[in-house]
Amino acid sequence: MRKYLLKRLLIAIPVLIGVTICSFIIVNLAPGDPVDMYVNPDATLDQIEMTRAALGLDQPMYVRYFKWLGELFQGNLGFSFATREPVMDLLADRMGATLLLMGVSLVVGYLIAIPLGILSAVKQNTWIDYLTTGGSFLGVSIPSFFLGLGLVYIFSLQLGWLPTGGMATLGGDSSLVDQIKHMILPVIVLSASICGNMIRYVRSSMLEVLKEDYIRTAKAKGLKSMMVVIKHGLRNSLIPIITVIGMDIPKLIGGAVVTEQIFQWPGLGQLTISSISSRDYATLMAINLLSAIAVLGANMLADILYSAADSRIHYD
Amino acid sequence: MAKEKMLAVKDLAISFNTYAGELHAVRGIEFDLYKGETLAIVGESGSGKSVSTKAIMSLLPKKSTTIHSGEILFQDQDLLKCTEKEMQHIRGKDIAMIFQDPMTSLNPTMTIGKQIMEPLIIHQNMSKENAQARALKLLELVGIPMPEKRIKQYPHQFSGGMRQRVMIAIALACNPRVLIADEPTTALDVTIQAQIIELMKELQVKMDTSIIFITHDLGVVASVADRVAVMYAGEIVEVGTVDEIFYHPQHPYTWGLLASMPTLEIGNQDLYAIPGSPPNLLHVPNGDAFASRNQYALAIDFEEEPPMFQVSPTHYAATWLLHPDAPDVTPPQEILNRWAKYRKNEVNVYD
Ligand SMILES: Nc1ncnc2c1ncn2[C@@H]1O[C@H](COP(=O)(O)OP(=O)(O)O)[C@@H](O)[C@H]1O
Ligand SMILES: [Mg+2]
């Protein structure tokens, strides 16, 4: 297992370098010149060239890439074009907000989805099942901007119960209650799709498992139906569910661009949008790299979880 | 043979609601199971063996199953009238079951120790420690070496034969009165098959359990059963002691089954095969369901179902050939020849 993970880590390095090459090319080929963003409209040609040189954009793309890579190996992500801050600080600043929002949304989503998915499978083809499956489709397919704006309209504008956005009331007491109030709406929006997606996987996985011979054995032992499902069904239906968790976790980092934008949540998603519109190549590259690391890390975590859930799964 | 009845199945008829229509899987079967005996149920696949025994355990899918008639009497109660909760107290405790495929019948993510302890904990309120001690004894009893080590292992670390031993340990954990074994050796190779059968016979004597042994293999029947019920298209067509079924079979279907049985001497070459295939249980034909495959069929076979004719106090068969007015027929010479060979060899084929 340890050897396997080490091997995976070593393979991850060239993969990550490949990802950075691709994203470097894409970011640089995107229309728009960053220099335009950072000079006065009436700047002279000289001034423009100076800014270009200051941003390091006067060199050919491959030179810039290798410079960037060299800095990266020294643990340096460069400086943001937009704010001149070190990109590292910028990310660290935003990461906490995103991790908090996504972490809570994942946990809430799963806590609702897993029992509902199981219930739906056990009560297959009853109104409970239809209601749950219908709800999960709604959760997956409703666009987050629509749900987000709808919730803001009802709960913030009409009822005035909850704030429209941000992480805390400006100049407020920044109490826990205040923070929670700010989180409720974005968490609902994000967990709706996480939960809807998860319900469908849990349900179908559980339905498969319930057909297995060992479930019949468990019934033949005289176990109560609920115990059959929980003691014998759940663990075995976990494997495909772990895959979904592995796909959900990178969202922790990538953030939910749209949701963060709607609720002005100061996380990575919002940073992504602002970096794109200000052609802040350095920050964009760092965010891409971070997302790629998150995907690879989540895959490895899923592998570890597989072998924990099922002793038949071994890596060497 | 002790005559205390453990289980009495009366006029049991079961059908399934399928997309294609109503499938009559079991069509009025009757049998008794006596204390300490082994009753074998034989028949081609699809003849309703599993469905009949699942009905005893109430393991049929509730939604699609209709039980049209019947009683399953166990200790003076009709199991068909029991609630799910009452059945949970009977399953695994008074009536236990082992299944055909030991590779898939054990939970892959639970240690076999836990799987054996489960019925002890739910039915006998044993503490974990006691259940574990008993599980170790059970593993020893079913002939698994190094039980202390094995008890912590998962099913994938066991061979097919060893897994079936584990299944037997689970089934026997609470000393059930009745053990239903649904083709317990079909998925195993011949040597292992013989070992498992030996084990079951040995444990039956020790525990005085009654066994219903389902198989489609008559060779196995000869070595395990006291009595045999032959099933065809959802009905029992002949029932009798092993000797009666092997040496004085009355039903042409039983003749066919016996003639198609491979032995060590004849091997698999040139085996007799019953012509045709079993009837579609969605549209059961009038008369005797076997008539269209039966070279001895009489005109009446196509019109009216034969009743059970008594041959001896323990031997019954449902064929019009037993009617006093029926012509005398003997099985064809080819089949008789095979029999002569079986009779010489039978006892030492599988023993
Ligand atoms: N749950 C079910 N739904 C519909 N048909 C079934 C079901 N279980 C068994 N059957 C049908 O009932 C018939 C008898 O099956 P079974 O008792 O399993 O045969 P076998 O004698 O091989 O054990 C078969 O035709 C089978 O297809
Ligand atoms: Mg069967």
Side-chain angles (χ1 to χ4, degrees):
Chain A
M1 181 78 183
R2 187 170 298 170
K3 219 164 124 198
Y4 170 80
L5 290 178
L6 211 67
K7 210 160 69 188
R8 286 283 298 266
L9 275 175
L10 286 178
I11 296 172
I13 294 171
V15 171
L16 284 175
I17 291 180
V19 169
T20 58
I21 293 175
C22 292
S23 46
F24 199 86
I25 293 173
I26 293 170
V27 164
N28 278 278
L29 289 184
D33 186 345
V35 177
D36 292 346
M37 312 298 299
Y38 306 116
V39 293
N40 291 329
D42 42 49
T44 63
L45 224 60
D46 266 1
Q47 281 172 317
I48 289 178
E49 282 316 311
M50 261 167 61
T51 312
R52 191 180 297 282
L55 292 174
L57 291 170
D58 52 342
Q59 284 151 320
M61 206 198 290
Y62 70 91
V63 176
R64 282 189 280 131
Y65 175 73
F66 283 113
K67 272 193 166 169
W68 180 84
L69 196 64
E71 291 287 316
L72 180 67
F73 279 121
Q74 295 164 42
N76 193 350
L77 288 170
F79 292 87
S80 158
F81 290 5
T83 64
R84 301 279 155 180
E85 278 176 86
V87 171
M88 197 71 103
D89 294 355
L90 212 55
L91 289 188
D93 238 26
R94 300 299 190 105
M95 189 119 82
T98 292
L99 281 177
L100 177 68
L101 178 60
M102 291 307 300
V104 171
S105 304
L106 281 180
V107 170
V108 169
Y110 292 166
L111 283 182
I112 297 171
I114 292 174
L116 276 184
I118 295 172
L119 193 70
S120 187
V122 172
K123 306 261 175 210
Q124 191 192 11
N125 296 335
T126 62
W127 63 269
I128 296 180
D129 181 28
Y130 297 139
L131 210 67
T132 313
T133 327
S136 75
F137 268 107
L138 205 65
V140 171
S141 48
I142 197 165
S144 47
F145 76 87
F146 184 79
L147 181 60
L149 293 178
L151 289 174
V152 167
Y153 179 76
I154 296 170
F155 293 100
S156 308
L157 302 182
Q158 293 297 314
L159 297 171
W161 292 350
L162 295 167
T164 55
M167 267 184 94
T169 310
L170 279 179
D173 51 1
S174 68
S175 65
L176 189 65
V177 177
D178 183 54
Q179 270 200 5
I180 291 175
K181 273 186 165 176
H182 280 83
M183 282 181 74
I184 291 177
L185 293 185
V187 165
I188 291 177
V189 172
L190 287 169
S191 50
S193 74
I194 291 169
C195 176
N197 192 35
M198 191 56 138
I199 284 177
R200 295 186 316 169
Y201 279 100
V202 174
R203 177 180 181 275
S204 71
S205 172
M206 186 56 99
L207 280 179
E208 275 308 304
V209 166
L210 290 179
K211 284 189 214 129
E212 296 282 349
D213 287 349
Y214 53 80
I215 294 296
R216 184 185 54 188
T217 305
K219 278 185 199 153
K221 283 179 185 173
L223 254 71
K224 293 193 178 70
S225 332
M226 215 52 217
M227 292 309 278
V228 172
V229 172
I230 290 170
K231 284 187 72 182
H232 293 267
L234 192 55
R235 182 152 189 167
N236 286 292
S237 61
L238 271 180
I239 304 290
I241 297 174
I242 290 173
T243 312
V244 185
I245 296 179
M247 295 191 294
D248 276 347
I249 287 180
K251 295 181 193 159
L252 269 172
I253 303 299
V257 173
V258 175
T259 310
E260 286 192 0
Q261 197 65 16
I262 292 171
F263 293 100
Q264 296 122 54
W265 192 266
L268 289 170
Q270 224 190 21
L271 182 66
T272 311
I273 296 277
S274 63
S275 310
I276 291 172
S277 58
S278 62
R279 307 287 185 278
D280 188 346
Y281 292 173
T283 308
L284 276 178
M285 282 304 297
I287 292 175
N288 283 339
L289 181 63
L290 200 60
S291 308
I293 291 174
V295 171
L296 292 173
N299 276 334
M300 268 167 76
L301 183 70
D303 282 347
I304 296 172
L305 289 177
Y306 289 142
S307 72
D310 188 341
S311 66
R312 281 170 304 178
I313 299 175
H314 271 296
Y315 303 109
D316 36 35
Chain B
M1 186 190 307
K3 275 292 175 186
E4 190 191 332
K5 246 186 225 178
M6 287 311 307
L7 198 68
V9 175
K10 292 185 179 155
D11 191 29
L12 181 64
I14 301 169
S15 73
F16 294 107
N17 211 338
T18 68
Y19 286 113
E22 195 176 12
L23 188 148
H24 300 271
V26 174
R27 305 185 298 128
I29 61 166
E30 306 231 355
F31 65 84
D32 295 328
L33 179 70
Y34 297 101
K35 190 169 184 184
E37 77 161 345
T38 299
L39 170 72
I41 301 182
V42 288
E44 282 164 296
S45 95
S47 55
K49 307 180 297 287
S50 298
V51 171
S52 317
T53 46
K54 278 186 192 160
I56 297 173
M57 293 284 271
S58 180
L59 285 177
L60 293 167
K62 302 239 149 40
K63 265 194 209 141
S64 57
T65 310
T66 313
I67 301 201
H68 296 276
S69 66
E71 274 181 359
I72 299 174
L73 294 177
F74 173 75
Q75 294 178 338
D76 301 326
Q77 58 179 333
D78 183 356
L79 297 183
L80 292 177
K81 293 209 177 76
C82 282
T83 61
E84 170 61 21
K85 208 161 179 188
E86 288 167 330
M87 280 312 296
Q88 282 164 3
H89 288 295
I90 291 173
R91 278 185 214 130
K93 175 166 159 271
D94 297 317
I95 307 178
M97 196 155 179
I98 32 184
F99 302 97
Q100 172 169 345
D101 195 347
M103 303 310 260
T104 55
S105 294
L106 288 165
N107 184 342
T109 60
M110 196 186 263
T111 62
I112 60 127
K114 281 211 176 113
Q115 299 191 54
I116 299 174
M117 284 155 63
E118 226 170 18
L120 296 167
I121 292 170
I122 49 179
H123 294 304
Q124 306 193 338
N125 279 324
M126 273 195 192
S127 68
K128 254 194 155 153
E129 292 74 39
N130 289 345
Q132 181 151 6
R134 171 101 172 111
L136 281 172
K137 284 230 179 71
L138 282 162
L139 282 176
E140 213 168 302
L141 192 70
V142 298
I144 291 184
M146 295 184 291
E148 285 87 3
K149 181 178 151 219
R150 295 299 234 166
I151 197 167
K152 294 190 210 89
Q153 295 186 331
Y154 289 89
H156 68 92
Q157 291 162 295
F158 290 73
S159 67
M162 284 293 161
R163 286 190 213 188
Q164 200 58 299
R165 285 173 192 263
V166 172
M167 284 299 293
I168 293 174
I170 293 173
L172 294 182
C174 300
N175 286 319
R177 315 296 296 274
V178 175
L179 174 65
I180 299 171
D182 190 348
E183 313 223 15
T185 59
T186 305
L188 306 172
D189 60 45
V190 182
T191 12
I192 310 291
Q193 198 169 340
Q195 288 169 11
I196 295 289
I197 286 172
E198 213 39 60
L199 175 69
M200 288 181 67
K201 286 205 294 202
E202 188 189 308
L203 294 178
Q204 177 176 35
V205 175
K206 266 189 206 160
M207 300 186 159
D208 203 20
T209 315
S210 310
I211 298 181
I212 298 179
F213 195 106
I214 298 176
T215 178
H216 59 256
D217 182 352
L218 273 177
V220 171
V221 172
S223 64
V224 294
D226 300 304
R227 289 192 309 126
V228 183
V230 179
M231 268 192 96
Y232 182 76
E235 293 178 315
I236 291 180
V237 295
E238 184 159 8
V239 60
T241 64
V242 176
D243 284 351
E244 286 165 338
I245 296 296
F246 274 83
Y247 302 125
H248 307 285
Q250 300 296 321
H251 198 285
Y253 179 65
T254 315
W255 296 347
L257 276 188
L258 284 167
S260 57
M261 181 180 110
T263 62
L264 289 184
E265 188 176 291
I266 298 175
N268 285 315
Q269 290 170 359
D270 208 20
L271 275 183
Y272 174 82
I274 303 171
S277 52
N280 182 346
L281 294 172
L282 290 166
H283 312 283
V284 184
N286 281 338
D288 183 356
F290 186 58
S292 63
R293 305 171 75 184
N294 181 2
Q295 60 186 111
Y296 308 101
L298 309 171
I300 189 169
D301 275 315
F302 294 93
E303 282 152 26
E304 205 176 319
E305 266 203 85
M308 274 284 190
F309 290 97
Q310 181 168 9
V311 183
S312 83
T314 52
H315 189 182
Y316 294 81
T319 167
W320 284 117
L321 293 177
L322 289 171
H323 193 271
D325 297 343
D328 247 357
V329 294
T330 42
Q333 196 54 44
E334 189 205 332
I335 293 177
L336 288 177
N337 288 347
R338 285 173 187 277
W339 277 354
K341 283 183 188 153
Y342 301 153
R343 282 174 199 187
K344 269 192 267 141
N345 291 318
E346 191 43 54
V347 187
N348 29 28
V349 168
Y350 279 91
D351 267 6

